[in-house]
Amino acid sequence: MSSSLAMAALAHRRRSKQPTLVRKYLLSRKDFENDAEKYTDYLEESTQHTTPREVVVAFTKGLYEMESWLNDLGGELEDSNYDKMYSYYIPPMTFPRLKSAQGLKLKVRHLKQTKLSRADTGGRRIWELLHHHIKDNANITLLFNSRCKRILKDHNGRVNGVLLEDEKSLSAPTVIMACGGFENDIDLRRDLMGPREFGLLGSPHNNGDGFRLAQHLGARIWHASAEATVLGLLPPGEQCGFALGIRKPRFIYVNSTGRRFVDETKIESHRGHIETAAQDPYTGKSAHDPMWMISDKENFLDPDQPPIVDFFSYQVVVNGYKWSKHSEEEIRKGWVITSDSVDELAKKLSLPELPATVKKWNEQCQNPPQVDETLENTLNPGRRDPETLVQLKSPFDAMRIVPLLYNTQGGPRRNEKAQILSIDGPVIEGLYGAGELRSIWGHVYQSSTNFAETIIFGRIAAKEAVAYAKGKGNVSNQ
């Protein structure tokens, strides 16, 4: 998932030492309530009302509390200012033409690099900051390599512990499901998202365990087909890939026919699958796969700006992959296909229409077509911003591109208290959830909110679980 946090613009104002949330951000109560209400309206409309308003309200409230909480832990937020990439497009507001978006201003922010969070990437900084407060806490026991086989319930249907894979059981009055999604469960992916080829951008260890644990408990499932994907390179034989990070506009995308089919610079970088998933009505198969990114050498020569996003992803952060200075290693591996002429490249890629496409593109760059202004923000392939209309010149480079999953969103449904609901409606007592499993972002996703949601509903789940356990007399008053 993305390592940025989408924050309403007013949420980053200087804090005072006053105890109330409103005063912390130097807002009047009326200003705060109006701003939070606008953001809630927008998030509810952007999900097309597939998430109850009270759940969205809980998220909005938690978002406004987050900066203060992170500061108390020794962290600090700052605005995200990524180098401009034409293939990696993340606006602060994904759906600016919605009625609720008018007059709303958003910022994308991430955790600043400090002595408690020294990592190069925002996601690892959050992990380091939290781990700093967990690792030496005598009240917290960490168990690794302890896969959960079942969540247990008593005869009244209340959660009372977990069964581990080694058949050992742990008794507990509450369980918080904070496991990942089902990105790397091929069967679940095909059942819920269709047979299209996907790669992973995040962890290959998200294999759907949480989804199955919830089904075994009789949990109600929601947002099962929702996902967040970016277009990128999936190296042959690999599970995880690299998001495209093209810094110069000297590139196009073509489909299996060798034709352009989309405005390459307007695909929001959590919607790679949605925007390229057209189906051929005569074959029932993908209308565009396999897809290719075609560029000239300009995007492969800068040693400090590789053609992929080099500040996050499993390959970069966990595997530590370093893209070679001029892509020479990736060319040697066959990840990048290079050619001295477009005709030769067309033969290598089996794209007979590619030469005509490049010729048409170069002509369009010289004489931009007149287009209907109402298409300004659509993905119509005939419409690209004037600054991006740059001719392609030999030699050429190409990479096959596929949707890469940040994460899936589906799983057991939760309410505003992070309680998991049963298929019959009532909550499953003692069971809570946080994170991408059972995400509240159904149908479509407002960018940079998944990471925030993980923290917000993690905090809600923890507070509610402790309160429930104390009510049963199972937790001390410490």
Side-chain angles (χ1 to χ4, degrees):
M1 76 177 54
S2 173
S3 58
S4 300
L5 312 170
M7 306 291 285
L10 293 175
H12 75 289
R13 293 186 181 181
R14 182 179 301 171
R15 299 186 304 128
S16 74
K17 294 184 179 180
Q18 298 299 319
T20 65
L21 172 65
V22 172
R23 290 176 182 172
K24 279 183 178 179
Y25 296 106
L26 301 182
L27 299 173
S28 70
R29 180 173 296 276
K30 182 177 180 180
D31 285 341
F32 169 76
E33 289 176 349
N34 286 344
D35 193 63
E37 186 84 1
K38 288 178 182 178
Y39 191 41
T40 301
D41 290 344
Y42 168 74
L43 292 176
E44 188 180 23
E45 187 180 5
S46 68
T47 64
Q48 299 192 26
H49 305 280
T50 60
T51 301
R53 186 174 180 84
E54 60 268 21
V55 179
V56 181
V57 167
F59 171 83
T60 306
K61 181 176 182 294
L63 190 64
Y64 275 84
E65 294 171 345
M66 189 183 300
E67 185 168 23
S68 175
W69 179 71
L70 289 172
N71 286 349
D72 290 342
L73 292 177
E76 182 181 349
L77 290 176
E78 64 179 357
D79 292 352
S80 295
N81 294 305
Y82 301 130
D83 293 337
K84 184 171 184 178
M85 289 176 279
Y86 290 94
S87 64
Y88 192 77
Y89 168 65
I90 300 185
M93 189 180 300
T94 305
F95 309 105
R97 289 193 174 184
L98 290 178
K99 180 180 179 181
S100 57
Q102 307 315 303
L104 184 66
K105 297 182 183 296
L106 301 178
K107 281 183 176 287
V108 178
R109 315 186 75 198
H110 61 223
L111 198 66
K112 187 177 180 179
Q113 197 170 30
T114 64
K115 63 180 182 179
L116 293 182
S117 26
R118 301 177 183 274
D120 292 333
T121 58
R124 290 197 72 164
R125 290 175 199 164
I126 288 280
W127 176 259
E128 287 179 355
L129 180 64
L130 297 180
H131 185 63
H132 172 79
H133 292 277
I134 292 172
K135 60 185 176 65
D136 297 323
N137 191 319
N139 295 316
I140 297 175
T141 301
L142 297 176
L143 297 178
F144 298 98
N145 298 316
S146 302
R147 187 177 182 181
C148 179
K149 186 177 179 180
R150 286 284 184 271
I151 297 174
L152 305 175
K153 294 194 294 186
D154 63 20
H155 64 281
N156 291 315
R158 302 187 185 97
V159 165
N160 65 356
V162 296
L163 177 67
L164 303 182
E165 196 168 38
D166 61 6
E167 301 302 325
K168 292 181 180 178
S169 61
L170 298 175
S171 297
T174 61
V175 171
I176 300 174
M177 300 181 69
C179 34
F182 54 87
E183 296 93 296
N184 204 26
D185 185 300
I186 305 300
D187 289 337
L188 270 177
R189 260 201 350 236
R190 290 175 67 88
D191 286 345
L192 300 174
M193 298 169 60
R196 195 180 187 194
E197 178 185 3
F198 288 86
L200 309 182
L201 193 69
S203 173
H205 304 294
N206 290 345
N207 57 10
D209 280 353
F211 204 96
R212 288 183 288 274
L213 288 170
Q215 288 181 307
H216 185 263
L217 288 173
R220 182 178 177 182
I221 303 298
W222 72 349
H223 302 159
S225 63
E227 44 73 27
T229 47
V230 65
L231 294 181
L233 165 72
L234 181 64
E238 297 279 345
Q239 295 173 305
C240 302
F242 303 87
L244 277 185
I246 305 300
R247 269 75 172 190
K248 298 177 181 179
R250 308 170 74 100
F251 77 103
I252 58 174
Y253 296 157
V254 298
N255 60 20
S256 58
T257 69
R259 297 176 182 174
R260 288 185 65 229
F261 62 99
V262 71
D263 180 346
E264 299 86 349
T265 64
K266 289 293 192 297
I267 301 178
E268 200 278 333
S269 290
H270 296 85
R271 296 171 59 83
H273 167 55
I274 290 176
E275 308 296 8
T276 62
Q279 191 178 76
D280 186 324
Y282 297 103
T283 67
K285 297 180 179 180
S286 169
H288 300 309
D289 295 335
M291 303 179 293
W292 295 88
M293 190 281 297
I294 310 294
S295 173
D296 59 24
K297 277 292 180 188
E298 288 294 318
N299 278 306
F300 290 81
L301 293 179
D302 190 331
D304 299 317
Q305 294 187 326
I308 52 97
V309 180
D310 59 351
F311 50 81
F312 74 93
S313 81
Y314 191 85
Q315 288 280 19
V316 172
V317 176
V318 180
N319 292 343
Y321 190 89
K322 301 290 185 183
W323 198 270
S324 59
K325 286 188 175 181
H326 303 297
S327 302
E328 62 272 10
E329 182 63 20
E330 291 70 33
I331 291 172
R332 185 191 67 79
K333 292 177 179 178
W335 298 2
V336 178
I337 311 299
T338 186
S339 182
D340 290 331
S341 72
V342 68
D343 291 324
E344 182 183 49
L345 184 64
K347 290 178 181 178
K348 287 184 177 181
L349 305 183
S350 298
L351 298 174
E353 296 187 45
L354 181 61
T357 296
V358 171
K359 180 181 179 182
K360 181 178 179 181
W361 167 255
N362 286 342
E363 290 172 350
Q364 178 181 332
C365 293
Q366 286 185 310
N367 300 292
Q370 295 295 316
V371 295
D372 187 340
E373 289 300 316
T374 62
L375 300 177
E376 180 179 1
N377 292 320
T378 75
L379 294 178
N380 186 293
R383 177 83 190 207
R384 262 179 53 166
D385 293 338
E387 68 173 39
T388 73
L389 298 177
V390 183
Q391 289 183 311
L392 301 179
K393 298 179 180 180
S394 60
F396 296 94
D397 291 294
M399 290 193 292
R400 186 183 173 193
I401 54 176
V402 300
L404 300 176
L405 282 156
Y406 292 98
N407 49 268
T408 56
Q409 313 279 48
R413 181 167 181 160
R414 62 173 176 247
N415 63 16
E416 69 278 10
K417 295 182 178 181
Q419 297 168 298
I420 300 300
L421 305 182
S422 70
I423 197 169
D424 297 319
V427 301
I428 299 174
E429 289 194 44
L431 187 62
Y432 301 84
E436 69 171 277
L437 179 71
R438 85 211 55 78
S439 172
I440 68 175
W441 306 127
H443 184 59
V444 291
Y445 168 60
Q446 156 61 33
S447 68
S448 297
T449 47
N450 258 328
F451 205 82
E453 182 199 8
T454 297
I455 297 172
I456 291 165
F457 275 91
R459 296 185 67 209
I460 293 173
K463 291 176 182 178
E464 294 292 335
V466 168
Y468 175 82
K470 282 183 176 180
K472 297 186 65 175
N474 289 297
V475 174
S476 69
N477 291 321
Q478 289 184 323

